[in-house]
Amino acid sequence: MRRTSGLFSLLLLLPMAGCDGVVSPADPGTTLFEVEYVNFAWVPTWQGFVIDSTGATHSYDLKGKAWNPSNADYPKRTELLAKYATNSRPAGNVDPATFQAMRDRAGRAAAGPLSQPRNRCADAGTIAYSAWLYDPEQDAFRRVLLWQEGDVARLNESSDGRAVAEWLRSLQLLPGFQGCQP
């Protein structure tokens, strides 16, 4: 129990860590962007990149362990921070003006319809490009799927969703799958 409370205290302090940690203050305007690769077909893999609310980019790697938030549709801030803190490394920054523009578009993309899932590539895993929007009513984050490729492909069909997905893809944080796009 003592170790658990120590870990919880560390997670509460993580946002104050500055450049070395993912920053995501829980205010109504908080938006995070994520590019993640998940595959459990051969070698369990769960890794990716997060762009925090300051525009700093961090890589993370769960080393094959699954991420199981209490509510997958609305994970708590501490659950996302724990995910992103696992084997985290700074990976750069995005342009502040572009970040703000994409943050605004992500909010509008939340209303966009998703295409029907298409089975594209067996055992490739999935690469998902998402925005996480803070929902003060839930005191949690809501995933807005923008683009997903690999085993199951789909995309956010709104113009805002496509624009944010294209921006995230242009950052080339993860190599894509040829022939496995939506």
Side-chain angles (χ1 to χ4, degrees), residues 55-77:
T57 305
H58 305 267
S59 67
Y60 67 89
D61 188 345
L62 301 182
K63 301 285 186 187
K65 294 181 181 168
W67 178 60
N68 295 309
S70 56
N71 181 340
D73 293 329
Y74 287 93
K76 297 291 184 191
R77 179 175 171 270

Side-chain angles (χ1 to χ4, degrees), residues 105-113 133 142-146 156 158 160-161:
R105 293 191 94 161
R108 294 189 301 266
L133 307 178
R142 173 182 168 215
R143 182 192 296 262
V144 176
L145 183 63
L146 304 164
N156 185 308
S158 72
D160 288 307

Side-chain angles (χ1 to χ4, degrees), residues 99-165:
F99 178 84
Q100 183 60 45
M102 293 301 123
R103 177 181 158 178
D104 293 344
R105 293 191 94 161
R108 294 189 301 266
L114 290 176
S115 66
Q116 290 297 315
R118 296 177 59 197
N119 294 327
R120 300 293 290 167
C121 296
D123 294 340
T126 58
I127 298 174
Y129 298 81
S130 305
W132 289 96
L133 307 178
Y134 182 70
D135 181 339
E137 291 178 18
Q138 300 281 333
D139 189 27
F141 283 81
R142 173 182 168 215
R143 182 192 296 262
V144 176
L145 183 63
L146 304 164
W147 175 280
Q148 181 174 297
E149 61 186 65
D151 294 348
V152 179
R154 55 191 322 194
L155 60 92
N156 185 308
E157 294 180 328
S158 72
S159 61
D160 288 307
R162 288 179 185 233
V164 178

Side-chain angles (χ1 to χ4, degrees), residues 5-6 14 20-21 29 46 55 63-64 66 70 74 83 100 135 140 153 167:
S5 65
L14 186 61
D20 298 329
W46 198 318
K63 301 285 186 187
S70 56
Y74 287 93
K83 175 184 179 183
Q100 183 60 45
D135 181 339
W167 168 65

